[in-house]
Amino acid sequence: MEKVKMITPFRLSSLLRLEKDPKLAFQLFRNPNPESSKKPFRYSLLSYDLIITKLGRAKMFDEMEEILDQMKEENRFLPKEVIFCNIITFYGRSRLSEQALRTFDRIPSFRCQRTVRSLNSLLSALLNCRKLDKMREIYLDIDQYSSPDACTYNILINAASLNNSLVVAWDLFDEMRRKGIQPNVVTFGTLISALCENSKLDDAFRLKEDMQRAFQVKPNAFVYVSLIKGLCKANELDLAFKLKEEMLVDKTLGLDSAVYTTLISALFQAGRKGEVSGVLEEMREAGCKPDTVTYNAMISGFCVEKDFDSAFGVLDEMKEKGCNPDVISYNIIIAGLGKDGRLREACDLFEDMPRRGCAPDVVSYRIVFDGLCKGMEFKEALSILDEMVFKGFVPRGSSLEKFVDRLCMEGDIDMLVSVLNSLANGNAINVDTWKMVTKTVCKKTELFNSSEIFDMLLPS
């Protein structure tokens, strides 16, 4: 019998890099040579890095922590800080702030020195989790962790901007300059975006001039897009188009579909839809292909104007151009038809979505369910509710409350029981739902004595 070739530490790293399934990669790492019962396997630092990255991306955090504990016992090498930065980032993306903090705190126990790199990873993770108070706590004692750099301040300024604290953002900007830290294009982009969001366009344009004149930092596409969005929001379309022309002249700015989409939306809002075709033509001539977001902006504009023939025409054009409509495309039209009282057409389009190659999502179902309830189409609403529950969706709490209330007003006990059965069978009733239904039913004295309803309202 041919002898089984043993996997070496170098070979393990290669196999882990090639393995697509994180579960199989984990099994391989834990037992690289199942036929061998000799001395322990000598794992390399690269193998640890690879498996931790695969498990973190797959959100297999229990297994990742198991590998991390194993790595802690190694004495042949010192782990690199980047491994912990990645782990903190994985936790941040999954909104697991406590685990991100714990990982940061544990870094020294691995005989690894923390630097500004892991500090920035932690701040970014906390920002993803919207733990702004914790970020402020760390900032107040920031010198005990590391010396902050431009990236540190960019994250803090972004947090202040998201919290609508422009004064704090400016204070941070001033502080980084006092410390001799040079602001970069991200710093200015974040501040300009925040100013535009708060309709402080004059300040935003002054800062754009300052970044070029005083700091020799060239504005990037993000800066221009923020300013264009701000101008469109203020209905200053002529200035917005002027900025777009600046971007066309400077080929390094990478004029993309986001700019044109913003302008198209603004044209519809300003009642200038006749200019949209010209923007689309220019867009194509500039080598910028309209994407789904662009077409959806057009669909939305036509639906607001109740021009549904044109909205459906956009759907057809998308297919012709090889840009398949997504669920948002259909949801916009379904919602628009419902608001215009064309409920039957909305339901027809909803039912036709699978044939068109796009499955309805929870938003689709909620739009149709709300429309049917508003139109007093209770039987069809119940049918949609059954489908929702079967697919793991539930209506909005406020919609469900209105539905139950209307059934109570109609005195339709059988329908009410069917609704409760549907929700219960799909495990779609939580404590808040039960409280709402109980409160609604008990307000209706004509139903209060119904033992059938009362029994339905008692959790089993």
Side-chain angles (χ1 to χ4, degrees):
M1 180 181 290
E2 186 179 350
K3 187 176 180 181
V4 178
K5 189 175 182 180
M6 302 291 285
I7 293 178
T8 64
F10 177 79
R11 178 64 176 158
L12 177 61
S13 297
S14 299
L15 292 173
L16 288 173
R17 186 179 281 110
L18 294 171
E19 180 56 63
K20 303 296 183 184
D21 188 331
K23 293 182 180 178
L24 293 179
F26 177 67
Q27 293 173 8
L28 174 63
F29 184 91
R30 295 296 287 157
N31 197 6
N33 291 311
E35 302 297 326
S36 175
S37 59
K38 297 180 181 179
K39 59 182 180 179
F41 192 85
R42 295 172 65 85
Y43 293 95
S44 67
L45 178 59
L46 177 58
S47 293
Y48 278 107
D49 190 5
L50 288 168
I51 190 61
I52 286 172
T53 300
K54 282 185 180 293
L55 295 174
R57 285 175 177 166
K59 299 183 179 181
M60 295 172 61
F61 296 128
D62 290 340
E63 292 84 353
M64 184 183 73
E65 288 291 341
E66 185 179 326
I67 299 298
L68 198 59
D69 288 338
Q70 178 180 322
M71 185 177 68
K72 191 175 182 180
E73 302 303 318
E74 294 282 358
N75 53 23
R76 293 175 294 104
F77 54 76
L78 297 178
K80 296 184 180 297
E81 186 184 22
V82 65
I83 294 178
F84 302 101
C85 292
N86 290 336
I87 294 172
I88 292 169
T89 299
F90 294 140
Y91 280 134
R93 290 173 182 168
S94 295
R95 306 294 191 268
L96 298 172
S97 59
E98 292 301 321
Q99 289 85 335
L101 282 161
R102 186 188 66 209
T103 301
F104 180 76
D105 291 339
R106 289 183 67 193
I107 293 176
S109 69
F110 286 82
R111 307 177 306 283
C112 177
Q113 183 178 1
R114 292 184 304 202
T115 70
V116 69
R117 187 172 184 178
S118 55
L119 173 64
N120 290 342
S121 296
L122 177 62
L123 289 172
S124 183
L126 292 173
L127 180 57
N128 280 338
C129 300
R130 295 300 185 264
K131 297 293 183 179
L132 304 184
D133 289 341
K134 187 63 182 179
M135 291 182 69
R136 174 173 172 75
E137 181 183 325
I138 291 174
Y139 162 69
L140 292 174
D141 294 321
I142 200 165
D143 291 331
Q144 80 175 39
Y145 297 105
S146 180
S147 297
D149 60 8
C151 181
T152 311
Y153 278 98
N154 289 343
I155 298 169
L156 293 170
I157 289 171
N158 192 17
S161 301
L162 289 173
N163 200 34
N164 289 320
S165 301
L166 277 176
V167 174
V168 174
W170 279 114
D171 288 344
L172 288 165
F173 180 67
D174 292 338
E175 180 180 308
M176 69 184 297
R177 287 185 295 162
R178 286 198 304 271
K179 289 185 175 182
I181 300 172
Q182 177 71 12
N184 56 29
V185 68
V186 177
T187 315
F188 291 108
T190 304
L191 286 169
I192 288 172
S193 177
L195 289 168
C196 291
E197 282 291 327
N198 287 272
S199 301
K200 295 183 179 295
L201 290 176
D202 290 341
D203 292 338
F205 275 95
R206 274 195 294 270
L207 187 57
K208 173 179 175 285
E209 295 302 317
D210 286 346
M211 69 183 288
Q212 295 174 281
R213 178 174 44 80
F215 297 92
Q216 288 75 53
V217 177
K218 181 181 176 182
N220 61 6
F222 179 79
V223 170
Y224 275 93
V225 171
S226 296
L227 290 168
I228 288 173
K229 286 182 178 180
L231 289 169
C232 289
K233 182 180 176 183
N235 202 28
E236 295 284 354
L237 266 65
D238 291 339
L239 288 176
F241 274 93
K242 185 177 178 182
L243 274 185
K244 183 261 298 177
E245 293 300 323
E246 281 188 32
M247 296 186 74
L248 279 172
V249 172
D250 189 343
K251 302 298 183 183
T252 65
L253 288 173
L255 186 61
D256 61 13
S257 62
V259 175
Y260 287 107
T261 300
T262 301
L263 293 171
I264 287 170
S265 295
L267 287 172
F268 273 108
Q269 291 171 9
R272 294 164 57 177
K273 70 176 182 179
E275 301 175 45
V276 170
S277 59
V279 174
L280 281 174
E281 185 62 31
E282 179 191 306
M283 187 176 181
R284 294 187 179 101
E285 290 176 357
C288 186
K289 188 177 179 180
D291 57 16
T292 306
V293 179
T294 308
Y295 284 116
N296 285 347
M298 294 174 62
I299 291 172
S300 178
F302 285 127
C303 286
V304 169
E305 295 194 346
K306 300 182 181 181
D307 185 356
F308 296 105
D309 289 339
S310 295
F312 278 104
V314 175
L315 287 182
D316 295 335
E317 182 179 336
M318 291 176 75
K319 297 238 176 182
E320 290 173 6
K321 301 294 185 182
C323 181
N324 290 327
D326 61 9
V327 69
I328 298 174
S329 312
Y330 292 103
N331 287 346
I332 293 170
I333 300 179
I334 292 170
L337 288 169
K339 288 179 181 178
D340 196 39
R342 299 164 68 169
L343 184 58
R344 180 46 49 203
E345 293 174 66
C347 290
D348 288 344
L349 179 58
F350 169 79
E351 292 172 1
D352 200 37
M353 284 177 65
R355 187 186 64 79
R356 291 170 174 258
C358 184
D361 64 1
V362 62
V363 177
S364 313
Y365 277 97
R366 285 177 172 177
I367 292 170
V368 173
F369 179 78
D370 289 354
L372 290 170
C373 291
K374 185 178 180 180
M376 308 292 281
E377 300 284 349
F378 296 138
K379 286 186 179 180
E380 291 194 41
L382 177 57
S383 177
I384 291 295
L385 179 63
D386 288 338
E387 281 189 41
M388 291 182 74
V389 172
F390 178 77
K391 294 190 175 184
F393 303 148
V394 291
R396 282 181 285 263
S398 58
S399 300
L400 189 59
E401 184 174 1
K402 290 177 182 177
F403 187 35
V404 171
D405 184 65
R406 285 169 183 163
L407 290 177
C408 291
M409 290 176 65
E410 294 290 317
D412 196 334
I413 298 175
D414 291 337
M415 181 77 73
L416 183 57
V417 171
S418 296
V419 170
L420 297 177
N421 267 322
S422 180
L423 293 169
N425 290 337
N427 294 320
I429 298 185
N430 55 29
V431 174
D432 290 336
T433 305
W434 279 113
K435 286 180 179 178
M436 179 273 295
V437 174
T438 305
K439 181 180 178 181
T440 302
V441 173
C442 288
K443 282 182 178 179
K444 312 300 177 182
T445 57
E446 68 274 16
L447 294 178
F448 182 73
N449 294 324
S450 171
S451 61
E452 188 175 14
I453 292 292
F454 192 72
D455 289 341
M456 283 296 301
L457 294 176
L458 290 175
S460 56

